[in-house]
Each structure stands twice: as structure tokens, then as C-alpha cells.
Amino acid sequence: MSLTFTNCQVEEESLKKESNIETVSVSAAISFLREDNATTSSQTGKKITLQPNFDQISQEKITYTNQLLTVIPIINKQEKASSRILLLKINKELKSVVFTMYPDDNTTIASFTGKILMQNLNGSFINGYKVKEGIITAQYVKKNQNNAITSKDIIIDKVTFTDYDVVIVKNYYHNPRNSVNFMSLYTGFADTGSEGNSYGMNWDYGNGGGGGGSPATPTKDPCIAAQESTIVSKNKEYLTALKAINEANATEEHSITLGKASDGTMTQAPMNNGSQYIVQTNTDWAGAFAALHNHPNNTPLSAGDIYASVQLNVKNSSFTTSYILTNGEVYAIVVTNLSLAQDFVKTYPADQLPNQSPEFPNDIFYEIDGLKSIMDYGNEGRTTAIAFILDKYSAGITLLKQDSSGKFNPIKTQETTQSNGIKTYNTIPCY
């Protein structure tokens, strides 16, 4: 069930706001939510227990901007409720809100009926709406302080609010402009008041958080993928595999699969030996999650490597990473969102000629080729061009490179068009 919180009338205003909002990285979100003060009210000291599902963390495009909303599903004890923690930086300050959808029994896949509530991490009320068949029928707002109710608790639609969370219901006329699919719902990111900034976010009820339906495929943060590869590269099994490949016949490709035993220790499969251009990857090794292989001619990672990495992940959901050893350097291909990766290879299937490695289809190939003159024709420049195009087409694949200190870094590039029309490209670092 899709709920689209958009409003054509706010486009111009949203564009003006774009410079004031920034993405909160996945690593920063996890760090913030694990701080002691993240779930404590500064006013009351009240604590609530949240169970963020960090395994399902994702980032979603915000309409009219190039920024992302960081979304962490909450594991709910309430059977039908679907909750998410939303994180965004506004004017350099990290903002957070708990966004929960409570469906009524007569909610259908076609239209949502129930209530939508926004709260702070400490549980205090921010904003909320009643919805009937996709139409907003009422809004919950904060009670005027001059008319504050003194009762300790108040219950609205079976949701309990404490004395500082008292709300009243404001009626809406049954108007098409109050449709959940049309108007902007305020997510509580404003500095003051109950009416926050509207950013046009898309939501699927039940995707992550405890409600029905299957969770949306999360995208792993590239910086976390890089950190994980750095940790793997320091393991003795990885180092032994790396040494074995580097010392093998230099005119052939060789491959070693890495796995994890039931106790979590890393293992390695026997080395597969191939030809000058191809080698088979051992996909049957217990606990397989990655493989290393070399390029005898010191060539950069190829389209064939990209398509093969997706196939490996399709066959085994744990097999996400391919390490490529070339010209004394190590690159990595990490499938960070399998659903997007499958869409990419379906939309842009490989050109496969007999006895040749797979290649990108012409449109993609020439886009990458056109960037080489800007990013350089060496291995790093060509890989950077591939990484940029994969990001441009939301391929769900991140490319990494290991630096001289042994640390892996995502190959991420931001394109900027200058006032004279010239495009420039800058590396996006991890923070």
C-alpha cells in the first residue's frame, strides 16, 4: 500500500529548502541512536525503549532534492503498527522523528485507513492524522497551553500520551486536497510548532517495523561496506588467500572463496585455477560470502566482474563481495542492494559475444568511455567512471579501492554543473 506525501504547490519552496537539508549517513545514524541521550527527554528525563532494526536501515530519495532520508525500522510489539525512525540534518543539526502508522481492521491494500502519528524519540507527541480510505479526516495537534488538561494520561484511539503530550483533534473537511496521496504530511522536523517541513517522501505501509507485508530491500551504506571489507582484509585467511593468488601462475586467473564457519571464524576454499581471462568461482563453499581473483594483464575490474557479482548474490544472499587483484592494487565490488542490482542487470543486460567476456550494453559502455577522458584512462580512473555510472543508474552496487594503509574506501563521485555548463567531479569521502 503506497502512501505518497507530496504536494505540487510546495515544489518551489522545497527547492529553496534543499540547501538547508543534508543526508545523515548510516554510520552517523547508528552512532546517534546508540548514544544514551538519544532516547531521553531533556525536559522530563523520561526514557522509552526503542528497538531499531539496524539490519534493515535504508536511505530514501527526498522529492525535489538530491538528499536522502535515513530510515530505520523499529521492531514493534504492537502487531499491526509499522514504525520507523527518520533522520535528517536541517541547518547542520541532526533531527529525528518516530513515524508510526496504525491501520484499522478495514484497511485494504488499495487505501490506508487508520492513524499516522509522529513522536520524538522520548515518546512525546509532535503531530498526527486520522485517515479514512486514503483521505485525511482529522489532525491531532498539541493542546493550547492555556487550556491544558491536568490529567496524567490521555488515550486517543488506544494510543496513550502522558500529561505533556496532551492533544486535541482538529477536524478536516472531506476534501480531495486532503488525500494522503496529494497533500504534504508534516513529519515533525520543524524547529518549532507542530507543522514541520514537507519533503515529499514515499512510504509503503508494512515495509519494516512490525506491520504486515515484506520489508523493503535495504541499501547498505557504502561506508559501512568499506569498513567491513577493511576488517575482512586484516583476517589471516584473507591474507593467506591474497598471498596464494599473488604467488600463483601470473599468466592465469585464480580464485579463492572466503566463507564463515558456524562459530563465525573465517575460512577459505581451495584455489581454483583458470585461463588468462576467466576463472570459476567456488559457490558451494560453506558460509561463502566473498571471493578474491586476479587479473593477469593488470586490467581494471570489468563489466563481466560486475554482472558476475550480481549472479553470485542472487544464488547466495550472503555472497555479496568480489575482490579484484590487479597491478598490485585491490578493488572490491559489493552488492549493497540486491533488488536494485537485479533491476539494473535486467534493464541493461550484458552484451555477450562468443568466447568473450560480458560487456556493458552500448549506451552504458559509451557513457563510461566518455568519462575516462575526465577521470583518467588508468585503472583507478576507469573504475571511477564505472562506479559513477552505477550510482547514476541506482544499480545497488558499490565499488571500493584499498589504499596504501590497507583501508578500503568507496569510489563515490559527485557531479556538479557550473554556471558556464562545465561539469566537475569531486570525490565524496566517508565521515
Side-chain angles (χ1 to χ4, degrees):
M1 178 183 314
S2 179
L3 298 181
T4 306
F5 302 162
T6 60
N7 187 335
C8 297
Q9 295 178 340
V10 302
E11 179 173 358
E12 183 177 351
E13 181 181 354
S14 296
L15 286 169
K16 293 178 182 177
K17 295 174 184 174
E18 178 177 353
S19 61
N20 298 325
I21 66 172
E22 297 176 71
T23 302
V24 176
S25 71
V26 170
S27 56
I30 293 174
S31 175
F32 170 76
L33 291 172
R34 284 178 173 165
E35 291 177 359
D36 290 340
N37 63 352
T39 56
T40 304
S41 167
S42 60
Q43 293 181 335
T44 67
K46 174 189 175 185
K47 274 196 173 184
I48 62 170
T49 301
L50 299 177
Q51 291 183 274
N53 187 350
F54 292 121
D55 290 336
Q56 296 292 323
I57 195 168
S58 63
Q59 292 182 312
E60 302 181 5
K61 184 74 169 61
I62 302 173
T63 306
Y64 309 130
T65 81
N66 61 1
Q67 299 299 313
L68 302 174
L69 183 73
T70 302
V71 183
I72 307 96
I74 298 172
I75 300 172
N76 280 331
K77 294 181 179 179
Q78 302 177 68
E79 182 180 354
K80 291 185 178 181
S82 177
S83 296
R84 303 168 177 88
I85 299 173
L86 316 182
L87 296 171
L88 189 66
K89 280 187 178 179
I90 299 178
N91 295 324
K92 305 297 182 181
E93 183 180 353
L94 193 152
K95 302 286 187 178
S96 61
V97 66
V98 179
F99 181 99
T100 306
M101 299 174 70
Y102 299 89
D104 287 352
D105 292 337
N106 57 346
T107 286
T108 66
I109 295 176
S111 61
F112 177 79
T113 296
K115 55 186 171 294
I116 298 171
L117 294 177
M118 296 79 156
Q119 295 167 277
N120 287 319
L121 290 176
N122 59 34
S124 59
F125 173 83
I126 297 174
N127 203 354
Y129 296 87
K130 266 191 171 184
V131 181
K132 183 176 181 180
E133 297 178 353
I135 303 295
I136 295 171
T137 59
Q139 180 187 15
Y140 301 133
V141 298
K142 286 185 177 181
K143 182 76 174 178
N144 188 307
Q145 291 183 353
N146 294 328
N147 299 318
I149 299 174
T150 57
S151 62
K152 196 168 186 179
D153 295 295
I154 187 169
I155 298 176
I156 296 180
D157 292 341
K158 300 180 181 179
V159 178
T160 302
F161 298 94
T162 60
D163 51 354
Y164 61 87
D165 295 328
V166 171
V167 299
I168 59 174
V169 175
K170 174 183 176 182
N171 290 326
Y172 270 70
Y173 291 107
H174 192 82
N175 187 311
R177 297 180 69 84
N178 295 334
S179 166
V180 173
N181 284 321
F182 182 85
M183 72 169 294
S184 296
L185 291 184
Y186 299 109
T187 59
F189 283 126
D191 293 328
T192 59
S194 63
E195 293 190 354
N197 297 321
S198 54
Y199 291 110
M201 291 158 289
N202 296 321
W203 295 95
D204 291 321
Y205 166 71
N207 283 346
S214 303
T217 304
T219 297
K220 177 176 286 188
D221 184 277
C223 294
I224 290 180
Q227 292 170 9
E228 292 174 348
S229 283
T230 300
I231 293 171
V232 168
S233 71
K234 297 180 184 300
N235 188 279
K236 65 178 183 178
E237 296 295 338
Y238 173 95
L239 294 172
T240 302
L242 180 71
K243 185 173 184 290
I245 291 176
N246 284 333
E247 292 180 350
N249 186 331
T251 63
E252 297 175 351
E253 285 200 13
H254 310 278
S255 173
I256 296 178
T257 295
L258 301 176
K260 288 184 180 178
S262 57
D263 62 359
T265 58
M266 195 179 298
T267 63
Q268 62 171 291
M271 184 163 63
N272 282 353
N273 302 311
S275 66
Q276 184 179 3
Y277 300 109
I278 191 169
V279 65
Q280 294 295 317
T281 302
N282 186 336
T283 59
D284 297 325
W285 188 251
F289 69 92
L292 297 84
H293 79 269
N294 64 311
H295 283 190
N297 295 329
N298 295 326
T299 54
L301 60 85
S302 65
D305 294 323
I306 300 293
Y307 288 102
S309 68
V310 179
Q311 292 174 354
L312 289 170
N313 197 202
V314 169
K315 185 173 182 179
N316 178 353
S317 61
S318 298
F319 209 132
T320 59
T321 308
S322 298
Y323 296 98
I324 292 88
L325 323 179
T326 181
N327 199 29
E329 298 177 319
V330 183
Y331 292 86
I333 303 168
V334 183
V335 179
T336 49
N337 187 312
L338 180 56
S339 178
L340 291 178
Q342 288 178 289
D343 287 344
F344 176 79
V345 300
K346 181 180 179 180
T347 305
Y348 306 102
D351 284 346
Q352 181 71 67
L353 298 176
N355 302 318
Q356 293 189 26
S357 298
E359 188 51 87
F360 291 113
N362 284 342
D363 289 349
I364 300 292
F365 176 87
Y366 288 118
E367 276 199 79
I368 293 171
D369 196 59
L371 288 168
K372 292 176 186 176
S373 61
I374 300 171
M375 298 176 177
D376 192 64
Y377 287 92
N379 282 359
E380 183 173 1
R382 293 163 72 179
T383 305
T384 301
I386 293 173
F388 177 80
I389 295 301
L390 291 176
D391 286 344
K392 177 180 177 179
Y393 289 96
S394 301
I397 299 168
T398 293
L399 305 186
L400 314 174
K401 184 186 179 185
Q402 191 176 36
D403 63 23
S404 58
S405 71
K407 178 183 176 182
F408 277 91
N409 298 288
I411 303 175
K412 294 289 180 182
T413 307
Q414 182 175 15
E415 179 185 69
T416 304
T417 302
Q418 306 296 327
S419 58
N420 57 6
I422 295 176
K423 294 181 179 180
T424 59
Y425 298 87
N426 298 294
T427 300
I428 303 173
C430 289
Y431 293 101

